Amino acid sequence: MPPHQANAHKLDASQVDEIAQLLVLAFENGSGLSQICKAEGEELQRRLHFLFRAGLALQAAANQRVLSVTQDDLVTGVAVMQEPESCFPLWLQIHWLLQVSFGISPVVAWHLWQSLRILERHHPPEPHYYLMLLGVHPNFQKKGYARALLEALHSRSEAHPTSIGVYLETAKEQNVAFYKYFGYQLITQVNINGVENFIMFRPNFRE
C-alpha cells in the first residue's frame, strides 16, 4: 500500500513532542547533529530531543510550514523546510541559541551557530526552498515515505512563482546517492569542526 500523501501545515503544539521524538529516532545514528551534540545513549537522545523541540518552536514562531506523512493518525515522516523569501527574525534565532546554550551546553550552541553561519554562505542567491530536516521513523523507512515528502516539496517549489529549486545539506555520505536519485546535484563539500557536510541543490523541473 503506498504511503499517504504528504501534507503541508503549520505546527500544532500537540504534535511538537511527537515530531521531535520521530526526528531523534531518525537522526541519532551518525548524523551531523548527533556528532555536534557530543554525547551518547540517553544523553544524546535527550540533547537531540531538546534541540529538535526548540527548532520546531522556532519554526512555528516564524510561521513556517512543515510537510508530514501519517499512518493511522501517527506522524511517520516529516520534512522541515524554509519557504522562499522568508526568514527567521534575528531575535528568534538568539532566543533559540540561548535555549540550546542553557538546555544543552554553550559549546554545542556555539558549534551549531558556527555551522549555520558557514553553511548559509552556500545557499543560492535566488529564492528557493530550504530542506532543513527530512526524517522518517525507523519502522517506516524504505516504504516510500521519504519519496512522498520529497515529491510534495518539489511540487511546491515548482509551483512557486519565484523559487528556483530546493537546497539541502546532509552529513551522511550515503544520503548523497539517495538525493541524486531525486534530481539533486552535489555542489560542494564543507568540513566544519570535523563534520563533513555535503551541499546539494535540485533545480525545478518545470514543463
Side-chain angles (χ1 to χ4, degrees):
M1 179 178 178
H4 295 290
Q5 183 177 359
N7 296 307
H9 58 91
K10 291 185 179 180
L11 276 169
D12 185 329
S14 64
Q15 290 184 312
V16 169
D17 275 320
E18 179 185 5
I19 293 176
Q21 185 57 33
L22 181 155
L23 291 171
V24 170
L25 295 173
F27 280 83
E28 66 179 324
N29 293 320
S31 71
L33 286 173
S34 66
Q35 295 177 63
I36 288 174
C37 282
K38 303 291 185 185
E40 297 180 353
E42 292 184 0
E43 178 59 18
L44 173 60
Q45 293 180 348
R46 185 196 74 80
R47 290 185 175 199
L48 284 172
H49 190 276
F50 186 96
L51 186 60
F52 289 131
R53 205 182 194 295
L56 291 169
L58 176 66
Q59 189 82 357
N63 293 314
Q64 294 291 310
R65 296 177 181 272
V66 298
L67 287 164
S68 66
V69 287
T70 61
Q71 180 167 308
D72 300 326
D73 296 325
L74 295 175
V75 178
T76 55
V78 65
V80 181
M81 60 186 177
Q82 183 175 353
E83 296 176 300
E85 301 175 296
S86 65
C87 66
F88 295 96
L90 182 59
W91 71 268
L92 275 179
Q93 296 181 50
I94 293 173
H95 178 70
W96 167 78
L97 193 66
L98 289 172
Q99 281 186 301
V100 175
S101 184
F102 287 109
I104 300 178
S105 82
V107 173
V108 169
W110 166 247
H111 283 166
L112 281 170
W113 184 258
Q114 184 183 42
S115 296
L116 290 172
R117 295 287 73 79
I118 293 172
L119 290 172
E120 73 179 6
R121 300 173 192 163
H122 298 278
H123 281 249
E126 301 87 356
H128 61 278
Y129 275 83
Y130 174 23
L131 177 56
M132 302 166 71
L133 297 168
L134 176 70
V136 176
H137 191 288
N139 293 344
F140 295 91
Q141 291 178 2
K142 298 183 179 180
K143 295 183 178 181
Y145 287 89
R147 173 190 287 272
L149 290 164
L150 286 174
E151 289 181 348
L153 178 58
H154 300 160
S155 294
R156 291 180 70 83
S157 181
E158 288 161 5
H160 194 279
T162 62
S163 176
I164 64 165
V166 181
Y167 166 96
L168 63 82
E169 309 117 1
T170 180
K172 283 190 173 183
E173 188 171 3
Q174 60 265 40
N175 286 348
V176 173
F178 169 77
Y179 285 119
K180 281 185 175 180
Y181 177 81
F182 290 98
Y184 287 84
Q185 303 163 3
L186 180 62
I187 305 303
T188 190
Q189 295 175 221
V190 184
N191 189 291
I192 307 172
N193 295 317
V195 178
E196 197 71 22
N197 293 269
F198 301 88
I199 313 298
M200 307 191 74
F201 182 75
R202 179 190 185 274
N204 288 336
F205 294 99
R206 293 190 176 102
E207 294 183 0

